[in-house]
Amino acid sequence: MYHLLYILQSATQVLSSLSYAQVYNNTPKMEAQTMKKPINIKMDSEKTADKEEQDGKNKTIVHSYGSHVDEEEERKIECMRKLVEKHDPSVKEVDNPTLRRFLRARDQDIEKASAMFVKYLKWKQTFIPKGSVSESEISNHLAQNKQFLQGVDKQGRPITVLFGGRHLPKKIPDGGVEELKRFMVFALGKICSRMAAGQEKFVVIADLQGWGYCNSDVRGCIAALTLLQDYYPERLGKLLIVHVPCIFMTVWKLIYPFIDNNTKKKLVFVENKRLKETLMEDIDESQLPAIYGGKLPLVPIQHA
């Protein structure tokens, strides 16, 4: 850990004269790294749904769950369902929007999406066998009072606020990585329960005011990213990062390669001088947290 701090401190000296935009624009555009080999799922027929041709433009179907799916995507979802059911019959109880999120996360590739979903099912059975996480399992993270939930953006997506300066990994046994993952599952469950019918995404405001080396948690950040990208795909609508200190950008360079391309498109670094203006592009003042010039109080995630 001291070696890492030494590296970060050295990097800070180089980056201290750069603006946030300069550092961010020079961040290497690396592909997300795969931590484990994907499950190998083969189609029964060479003629897969994604290779079939259709005449004319795809028609749009409006389903009872409120989302729009073109005919080809609908066909791929059904093909994916049949494929995954061979590994776990319980998939019959999974709704189409859930399968669609995994399909879109793998760019409409049925085999890759099916492998990703099977991996998710195995993770869910082992990591959250009871189906949810209790507050007693994440008491250390809840005590830091660092995540809140209140309001919706202009698209009806729930808004959650994270305070990075309150995250203190050294005060949690073993760095709290496993508990951090449980904390994320708990929070995501709360956020998803607040989604209106037909809504699938949420918005995050990551506030880094006061963030320093004591808040640095590369292992925790990578674990959180992996969990979000692998097991909750297509849930994040936008991540607004505010009050960014220069020192954070040294750690950002270590984290960035682990972010997949779909997630990268949803990241926005907000300039301090345009904070309220930028937030209000997505959030109405009546739904904006009061600390950013809006009208809503923040509610701790456990009380939301």
Side-chain angles (χ1 to χ4, degrees), residues 95 97-98 101 157-158 188 191-193 195 199-204 228 231-238 266:
D95 60 21
T98 298
R101 287 194 295 272
R157 301 177 295 191
L188 286 165
I191 295 168
C192 291
S193 70
M195 291 178 180
Q199 183 57 258
E200 300 181 65
K201 298 180 183 291
F202 61 89
V203 172
V204 178
L228 182 64
Y231 307 128
Y232 294 86
E234 295 301 305
R235 280 297 195 186
L236 177 65
K238 180 173 283 191
K266 302 169 183 177

Side-chain angles (χ1 to χ4, degrees), residues 121-133:
L121 290 175
K122 292 183 177 179
W123 166 81
K124 187 176 180 181
Q125 291 166 0
T126 56
F127 194 76
I128 43 175
K130 297 179 181 179
S132 62
V133 174

Side-chain angles (χ1 to χ4, degrees), residues 47 58 94 98 115 117 144-145 158 170 181 198 220 236-237 248 286 293:
K47 188 177 181 181
N58 293 321
V94 177
T98 298
F117 192 75
Q144 293 182 351
N145 200 34
K170 288 184 178 180
K181 290 190 287 186
L236 177 65
F248 172 77
S286 66

Side-chain angles (χ1 to χ4, degrees), residues 55-161:
D55 294 327
K57 295 183 179 179
N58 293 321
K59 296 180 180 179
T60 298
I61 304 170
V62 182
H63 291 273
S64 60
Y65 46 80
S67 54
H68 293 72
V69 184
D70 64 45
E71 286 184 341
E72 182 165 347
E73 186 173 57
E74 175 72 4
R75 193 157 36 81
K76 288 184 177 183
I77 290 172
E78 293 307 315
C79 187
M80 178 181 168
R81 180 182 296 281
K82 292 176 182 178
L83 188 60
V84 178
E85 279 182 6
K86 294 179 181 179
H87 294 265
D88 191 336
S90 67
V91 176
K92 293 179 180 179
E93 301 174 5
V94 177
D95 60 21
N96 277 8
T98 298
L99 295 179
R100 183 184 63 185
R101 287 194 295 272
F102 283 83
L103 184 62
R104 290 182 174 179
R106 288 297 176 262
D107 299 319
Q108 302 292 318
D109 187 306
I110 298 173
E111 293 184 22
K112 290 181 179 179
S114 298
M116 184 185 188
F117 192 75
V118 169
K119 179 182 175 183
Y120 158 74
L121 290 175
K122 292 183 177 179
W123 166 81
K124 187 176 180 181
Q125 291 166 0
T126 56
F127 194 76
I128 43 175
K130 297 179 181 179
S132 62
V133 174
S134 67
E135 292 185 24
S136 62
E137 297 177 86
I138 53 172
S139 57
N140 291 306
H141 284 281
L142 287 177
Q144 293 182 351
N145 200 34
K146 57 193 171 188
Q147 185 164 2
F148 299 79
L149 179 63
Q150 180 66 290
V152 295
D153 76 347
K154 293 177 181 179
Q155 297 182 43
R157 301 177 295 191
I159 301 166
T160 184
V161 182

Side-chain angles (χ1 to χ4, degrees), residues 278-292:
T278 303
L279 293 178
M280 287 191 63
E281 290 176 5
D282 293 288
I283 307 168
D284 188 81
E285 188 175 23
S286 66
Q287 297 295 306
L288 189 67
I291 60 170
Y292 304 121

